[in-house]
Amino acid sequence: LVGLVAFLSALGATLTLPGIAGVVLTIGMAVDANVIIYERIKEEIKKGSNLRTAVQDGFKNAFSAIWDSNITTAMVGGILIYFGTGPVKGFGVTLLIGIFTSLFTAVM
């Protein structure tokens, strides 16, 4: 959220109601990425891996699902920016920036 707001501030963007909806959707996707990662880590621990290996394998196994969902949503955001006008374009911009910041924080 901090990265998203910082990027929007750097662009000088005004946060409207559709923009807030994009922020909410971004937060939901970030929470989903964290849930996927932690569930994969729990699966690795149940298989008997030690904590270090479980964390490494959990992130490695969760990456494809996170990547797929974020890229799909980013494509929709790009379509909204290209074809949308006004509030729809603002939603797409906020969503696209949020997806990239969320993907960055989930992977790093």
Side-chain angles (χ1 to χ4, degrees), residues 74-86 88-93 96:
M75 287 190 301
V76 171
I79 291 169
L80 288 174
I81 291 170
Y82 185 74
F83 290 112
T85 58
V88 174
K89 189 177 274 195
F91 176 77
V93 168
L96 200 58

Side-chain angles (χ1 to χ4, degrees), residues 12-85:
T14 303
L15 197 57
T16 60
L17 194 57
I20 293 170
V23 171
V24 170
L25 181 59
T26 299
I27 291 171
M29 291 198 62
V31 169
D32 180 50
N34 286 324
V35 168
I36 291 171
I37 290 169
Y38 291 127
E39 287 299 317
R40 298 291 173 127
I41 291 172
K42 283 200 278 187
E43 288 174 6
E44 294 296 324
I45 290 173
K46 285 180 183 178
K47 285 198 290 188
S49 299
N50 63 22
L51 186 59
R52 183 179 189 95
T53 307
V55 170
Q56 288 174 347
D57 290 343
F59 271 92
K60 184 176 69 172
N61 294 336
F63 180 73
S64 63
I66 294 169
W67 180 257
D68 181 46
S69 66
N70 281 305
I71 292 303
T72 304
T73 307
M75 287 190 301
V76 171
I79 291 169
L80 288 174
I81 291 170
Y82 185 74
F83 290 112
T85 58

